[in-house]
Amino acid sequence: MNLLTLTRRTLLAAATSTLALGALTLSAQAQTPEGVLIVGQIAEPKSLDPAAVTAVNDFRILVNLYEGLVRYKPGTLEVEPGLAESWEISEDGTEYTFKLREGVMFHDGTPFNAEAVKFNFDRMLKEDHPYHDTGPFPLAFFFGSVEETSVVDDYTVKFKLNGPYAPFLSNLAYPTGLLVSPAAVEANGADFGRSPAGTGPFKFAEWRSNEAVVIEKNPDYWGDPAGTEAVVFRPITDANTRVAEMLAGGIDMMVEVPPTALSQFEGDGFKVVEQAGPHVWFLILNAKEGPFADKKVRQAANYAINKEALVNDVLEGTADVAAGPTPPAFAWAYNEALDPYPYDPEKAKALLAEAGAEGAELTFFVTEGGSGMLDPVAMGTAIQADLAAVGFDVKIETYEWNTFLGEVNPGLEGKADMAEMAWMTNDPDTLPYLALRSEAWPDKGGFNSGYYSNPEVDKLLEEARVATDQDMRADLYKKMQTIVQEDAPWVFVANWKQNAVTSDRVENFSLEPSFLLQLQDVVKN
């Protein structure tokens, strides 16, 4: 089947073929057309506006539509030029000047230039900007150090920071730094996330809610052309259904394969891809109210949960037990002196007795799936049993991923005592700064949904993000990890080794440490 003969509607019909057809032993060749890559996503995207979303699930689509000033070098978290050809940093670390590529066009035919860069950052950061109301922009935190973005000339832009900020380039490479067409924002306003326009190797074609997002090869792309004519992202929230679709040939690729399903893709017909990266799976504990306001009870939860059993039995060895808030993938900043909390239910019971919290009732938010959440229902059930064994009375409430985020991100106060969460980050600053500082409580715009607060941790994180010497930054992060592990605002559970599976018709695909899906070079036979 030639893609060029397909209408978008026909393409979507092919992409959303039912599992029943697959079960009738139709081959993958018969089901999916050549040149069209069909990806099974873990959830429906919330928006296609990169400044307005936080989930890796959404970012996996967006990095193929948009580009930033810089990007991650393939296979690493190192920064290399993107839409900026080069940059200079002032001696005091407070000014970054970027020289932009010339001749680049947004998908709507408008030019990419310094004014477009200024528009993007002013839209996120300036409340008086005419299009600031197209937000909210939950990760504008990443660029909170920017005092001013100024146009030097058509292809030179300068950022003035309020002080040295070590993660600035790394944050620019993160999807929040992807650049959108100002004209498209002006034309669509708050609906821009449904009518996106960037500069990437693919351009937006169609979004049918709960069915598919379709992106097509950008014929006017400034760089090397995409290897496929189109990519279709299908939201399939149930992991077992994604696996069944993959086996039946209804999709060509799926990410975050359940550990128990990996063995089904051994042998001919499929390729399993794995890649370590900066991931941490944890339980947010409500330190503001209820049982977990007491550090001893938070520590008890860490001792009560058999994390070795979780990673070996539930996750089938696809993860390692986490020792603290920083993933070991950030080797230079990771505190190797810390050991994970051991499984010690007797110690947990003793701590609960000291705190007078025997029989404490807990409400536990669990998600059906989501970015980096691994096998959240099975993990939640095992955690519930471990906590019950030491005397907690745990009630689980389960939510679909986007609904779950809507409950957890605004904070757990008045709703829950604990919640599952996973983060995949680009810099050792990101997660603790956004989710452990006192100034990152949800009412202040952060993701510290459990309301943890420790002035020493705040001080260490503030110092680390302005330190220009990496060894000094590393020392500060290691001290932070020691304090946070002792305070136990979270239960530190797992660091995951990400995976994906493709059909043998897919070539040139590799996973990235960033957990993003870079599909420009992928070929679908």
Side-chain angles (χ1 to χ4, degrees):
M1 185 183 295
N2 188 325
L3 174 70
L4 298 179
T5 67
L6 294 174
T7 65
R8 289 178 183 165
R9 188 70 58 171
T10 304
L11 175 59
L12 279 164
T16 56
S17 59
T18 65
L19 181 59
L21 289 176
L24 294 175
T25 68
L26 287 175
S27 69
Q29 183 72 31
Q31 283 187 278
T32 60
E34 179 182 344
V36 179
L37 180 69
I38 302 178
V39 180
Q41 286 274 88
I42 59 177
E44 175 88 342
K46 181 178 180 180
S47 171
L48 297 181
D49 181 347
V53 295
T54 64
V56 171
N57 182 67
D58 299 8
F59 292 154
R60 287 172 173 148
I61 301 174
L62 299 180
V63 292
N64 297 286
L65 288 170
Y66 301 97
E67 297 168 299
L69 294 174
V70 296
R71 62 193 177 199
Y72 299 125
K73 184 178 179 180
T76 77
L77 290 174
E78 299 174 17
V79 171
E80 69 174 10
L83 290 176
E85 293 181 326
S86 62
W87 58 88
E88 295 180 355
I89 306 172
S90 65
E91 286 189 11
D92 65 359
T94 63
E95 290 188 352
Y96 288 68
T97 304
F98 292 86
K99 184 65 178 177
L100 309 181
R101 294 186 187 275
E102 299 186 21
V104 177
M105 304 296 287
F106 286 106
H107 300 150
D108 58 8
T110 58
F112 165 75
N113 52 31
E115 287 287 356
V117 176
K118 177 176 171 59
F119 178 97
N120 273 263
F121 287 91
D122 285 356
R123 177 173 79 117
M124 273 195 289
L125 300 172
K126 293 186 177 294
E127 294 184 1
D128 60 352
H129 188 270
Y131 294 95
H132 186 73
D133 62 358
T134 57
F137 307 115
L139 295 184
F141 262 116
F142 277 42
F143 307 111
S145 61
V146 176
E147 281 190 346
E148 183 180 7
T149 306
S150 58
V151 172
V152 178
D153 59 44
D154 284 351
Y155 294 100
T156 308
V157 65
K158 179 185 290 186
F159 294 88
K160 181 180 179 182
L161 311 186
N162 57 18
Y165 177 49
F168 185 60
L169 285 174
S170 179
N171 285 356
L172 285 174
Y174 199 69
T176 308
L178 296 171
L179 300 172
V180 309
S181 162
V185 174
E186 292 167 359
N188 295 287
D191 293 328
F192 170 76
R194 301 286 303 202
S195 302
T199 63
F202 294 92
K203 61 181 183 178
F204 176 73
E206 188 169 3
W207 180 357
R208 293 178 63 188
S209 294
N210 300 311
E211 290 187 18
V213 172
V214 182
I215 61 176
E216 297 176 335
K217 183 176 183 177
N218 175 11
D220 301 316
Y221 183 57
W222 62 269
D224 294 334
T228 59
E229 295 297 329
V231 181
V232 180
F233 295 91
R234 289 185 53 199
I236 307 172
T237 57
D238 180 74
N240 292 327
T241 303
R242 283 200 309 280
V243 169
E245 286 270 25
M246 190 74 215
L247 291 168
I251 56 179
D252 304 306
M253 176 189 298
M254 68 173 287
V255 294
E256 303 189 25
V257 185
T260 54
L262 280 171
S263 62
Q264 298 183 63
F265 298 106
E266 295 176 353
D268 296 338
F270 301 100
K271 302 174 188 175
V272 176
V273 184
E274 294 183 324
Q275 168 72 55
H279 168 277
V280 60
W281 198 104
F282 56 99
L283 301 176
I284 304 171
L285 305 181
N286 186 343
K288 187 177 184 181
E289 61 183 6
F292 291 131
D294 188 325
K295 181 171 75 173
K296 291 180 180 179
V297 182
R298 300 196 299 268
Q299 291 175 334
N302 273 278
Y303 285 115
I305 294 170
N306 190 342
K307 295 173 282 292
E308 290 282 355
L310 284 172
V311 301
N312 291 325
D313 299 339
V314 179
L315 301 180
E316 308 239 342
T318 59
D320 296 317
V321 174
T326 299
F330 295 124
W332 63 272
Y334 181 67
N335 190 340
E336 294 183 347
L338 293 181
D339 292 321
Y341 274 85
Y343 174 52
D344 191 340
E346 294 307 313
K347 176 72 170 176
K349 291 177 182 177
L351 285 168
L352 288 178
E354 288 179 32
E358 302 101 320
E361 297 182 355
L362 305 176
T363 298
F364 180 18
F365 282 179
V366 169
T367 179
E368 295 173 352
S371 300
M373 293 306 303
L374 309 182
D375 197 351
V377 174
M379 293 176 77
T381 302
I383 288 166
Q384 179 188 40
D386 284 346
L387 292 174
V390 301
F392 287 108
D393 180 5
V394 185
K395 174 188 175 185
I396 286 179
E397 295 184 11
T398 305
Y399 298 93
E400 176 274 332
W401 175 237
N402 285 320
T403 304
F404 177 84
L405 292 178
E407 292 288 337
V408 174
N409 285 348
L412 300 183
E413 184 177 11
K415 295 182 290 188
D417 300 287
M418 55 192 292
E420 298 179 336
M421 187 50 65
W423 276 61
M424 297 170 279
T425 60
N426 64 316
D427 190 277
D429 168 83
T430 307
L431 175 57
Y433 195 83
L434 294 181
L436 287 172
R437 283 184 314 125
S438 304
E439 289 300 309
W441 284 23
D443 62 349
K444 299 174 183 177
F447 294 89
N448 187 347
S449 299
Y451 317 98
Y452 171 64
S453 180
N454 184 311
E456 182 62 20
V457 169
D458 296 342
K459 181 174 181 289
L460 290 167
L461 289 172
E462 294 292 352
E463 290 178 358
R465 66 174 12 211
V466 301
T468 55
D469 180 83
Q470 182 163 293
D471 290 340
M472 183 181 296
R473 286 187 77 201
D475 182 63
L476 294 165
Y477 288 131
K478 290 174 183 179
K479 290 177 179 176
M480 175 274 297
Q481 292 165 57
T482 299
I483 296 170
V484 170
Q485 190 200 52
E486 167 71 16
D487 282 348
W490 303 338
V491 175
F492 313 104
V493 178
N495 301 122
W496 174 56
K497 293 166 281 193
Q498 62 171 320
N499 60 45
V501 63
T502 73
S503 78
D504 59 5
R505 299 173 62 194
V506 176
E507 297 180 358
N508 298 342
F509 172 71
S510 60
L511 286 168
E512 295 293 327
S514 63
F515 294 93
L516 304 174
L517 284 182
Q518 300 286 0
L519 302 176
Q520 178 180 356
D521 297 331
V522 173
V523 174
K524 163 72 179 302
N525 297 313

